[in-house]
Amino acid sequence: MLTSMKEMLEHANENNYAVMAINCINLEIAKAIIHAAEDCHSPVIINISPRQFKAHATLEMIIPMIKKRSEQAHVPIAINLDHGQEFEDIVYAMQSGFTSIMFDGSSLPYEENIKRSQLIRALTREYGCSLETELGHVGQAQSGDNSREDYLTDPDQAIDFVRRTKTDFLAVAVGTAHGEYPKGMTPKIDFQRLKELKEKLRIPLVLHGGSGAGEENIKTAVKCGINKINVCTDLFNVGRDTMKSEIEKNPNIELLLLEMAVEAAMKNYIMAYMKMIGSTNRYMYTSQNMTIVE
Ligand code: G3H
Ligand code: ZN
C-alpha cells in the first residue's frame, strides 16, 4: 500500500531498524524495489531526485506506474522527493503524488536553511506530505567530503533546527558521502556523534550515501539510531554490471531478457540490504489485512 513515510519511520524508530530509500528511474528498478519489499515483508521508500525526473524519469509517466503497483502491494511503500532544492520542483513533486519531500538546504547558511525548511514545512502540511531536511552536509565521496569535520552535524545546533523547522526526519552528516569512495576505502563514521544526535533529537534519523559504506558501519549506524538509508550508486552499478556480464555471455541477447536479468540482480541486491538493516518481516499479510509485527 502507498503510505506516509512518517508512520513508516516512526515504527522503525520505535523498533530500532532502518528502511531503504532507493532511487528509481525506470520500470525495472520500480519492479525490483516493490518485489523485493513484498518478498521480504519489508517497508520501502522509492526516491526520485529532480535531476532524475528531469533527465529521464518523467513524473507524468513514472508516478502513475509506481502508485498503481504500490497500492496493490502488501507492504508499506512511500514515494519521496530526494534532495529537493528548488521551490518549483518541490511543488511539482507534491502535485504529482509524492507522499514525502526531502528539502535539502544543507549548502545554505544556517538561518537560510531554517527559513526555507520552515516554508517547505508549511507547504508539505497543505499537501499531507511528510518532511525530511538536512543539517550538516553530506557531500561527494569523490571529493573526499566524508572526511570533512566541518560538514558534520552539530548535535546542539540540530536541537534548535528540529525545534524551529518542525521537520519529521533529519538527514545527518556523520561521515558518509554520496557516490563511490576511492578503491579499497571504507568511510569512518562518527558513531559517538550519531548516538548523541539520537539521544538529543529522538526523531527518525536519515543516512545518505548508503553505497560502499561497509556492512559493519551500516549495521552499527542502525543500532545507533539511523532509520532511513538512501542507496543509489551501488544499485545502479549492479544494474550496469549485470548488463555488461549478460552481454559478454551473449552479445545478441534479446533486450527483453537483458532487462529481466538486470531487474532480478537488482532485486537480489535490495533484498540482501533489507536483511542487513533489519527491515525484513516487519509486515505480515493475510487475506483480511496487513499487520505490523512488533
Ligand atoms: O540521496 C541519495 C543517496 O544519498 C544515495 O547515495 O549514491 O552513495 O548510495 P549513494
Ligand atoms: Zn543523498
Side-chain angles (χ1 to χ4, degrees):
M1 60 189 265
L2 195 61
T3 192
S4 140
M5 207 162 98
K6 190 161 165 61
E7 264 168 49
M8 185 193 280
L9 293 187
E10 275 170 4
H11 185 263
N13 191 17
E14 281 157 24
N15 293 279
N16 202 230
Y17 66 93
V19 179
M20 274 185 101
I22 308 161
N23 289 78
C24 175
I25 55 161
N26 61 16
L27 171 73
E28 290 72 28
I29 300 183
K31 284 175 69 192
I33 295 173
I34 296 169
H35 292 165
E38 288 186 313
D39 284 7
C40 284
H41 305 283
S42 167
V44 76
I45 297 156
I46 296 181
N47 262 349
I48 309 176
S49 72
R51 176 178 164 255
Q52 290 165 342
F53 71 65
K54 285 175 191 171
H56 181 69
T58 318
L59 292 188
E60 288 87 345
M61 297 177 84
I62 202 164
I63 294 293
M65 184 254 294
I66 291 172
K67 275 179 82 172
K68 177 96 186 151
R69 188 56 187 80
S70 299
E71 277 154 10
Q72 297 162 346
H74 302 144
V75 287
I77 299 173
I79 310 175
N80 179 49
L81 178 71
D82 191 28
H83 291 284
Q85 291 180 316
E86 302 301 326
F87 184 77
E88 292 73 22
D89 294 342
I90 291 169
V91 171
Y92 179 45
M94 291 192 293
Q95 287 172 341
S96 302
F98 283 66
T99 62
S100 180
I101 297 294
M102 180 211 179
F103 168 66
D104 180 0
S106 65
S107 298
L108 300 169
Y110 182 62
E111 286 299 329
E112 191 59 26
N113 189 2
I114 292 210
K115 209 168 96 190
R116 294 201 202 178
S117 298
Q118 285 171 333
L119 174 70
I120 305 301
R121 171 74 284 183
L123 273 175
T124 53
R125 290 210 197 282
E126 272 183 42
Y127 281 87
C129 290
S130 54
L131 176 69
E132 172 186 340
T133 51
E134 179 168 327
L135 184 67
H137 180 65
V138 180
Q140 299 301 321
Q142 284 294 311
S143 320
D145 290 343
N146 47 294
S147 311
R148 289 209 32 183
E149 290 270 328
D150 56 328
Y151 279 0
L152 299 176
T153 309
D154 178 81
D156 290 321
Q157 193 177 52
I159 296 177
D160 180 62
F161 187 86
V162 169
R163 187 179 54 77
R164 289 169 66 193
T165 60
K166 304 200 170 25
T167 190
D168 295 309
F169 332 108
L170 187 69
V172 292
V174 290
T176 57
H178 294 102
E180 288 181 53
Y181 298 97
K183 222 176 164 41
M185 192 249 217
T186 310
K188 188 172 163 15
I189 313 280
D190 189 341
F191 293 115
Q192 216 30 59
R193 182 181 299 264
L194 179 55
K195 273 191 207 151
E196 194 182 337
L197 282 160
K198 191 65 173 197
E199 274 162 26
K200 289 187 164 158
L201 301 174
R202 306 253 158 221
I203 62 171
L205 299 181
V206 180
L207 187 75
H208 281 248
S211 298
E215 187 166 343
E216 278 320 303
N217 272 344
I218 293 290
K219 284 182 174 166
T220 313
V222 174
K223 276 196 195 122
C224 294
I226 289 293
N227 304 112
K228 168 177 179 270
I229 304 186
N230 282 27
V231 179
C232 180
T233 304
D234 278 356
L235 180 78
F236 281 18
N237 288 350
V238 166
R240 181 201 60 204
D241 294 347
T242 306
M243 275 195 188
K244 271 168 50 182
S245 65
E246 289 298 314
I247 290 170
E248 267 163 31
K249 274 190 266 167
N250 176 6
N252 295 318
I253 185 169
E254 188 194 343
L255 183 62
L256 173 71
L257 299 178
L258 183 60
E259 299 293 1
M260 287 169 68
V262 167
E263 182 188 316
M266 292 191 296
K267 180 184 167 197
N268 284 339
Y269 168 81
I270 295 167
M271 288 177 72
Y273 207 106
M274 285 174 165
K275 284 192 189 104
M276 174 171 76
I277 63 176
S279 70
T280 56
N281 297 321
R282 297 289 175 178
Y283 291 83
M284 284 301 164
Y285 177 75
T286 66
S287 56
Q288 306 306 315
N289 59 13
M290 186 175 77
T291 48
I292 297 179
V293 181
E294 295 301 342

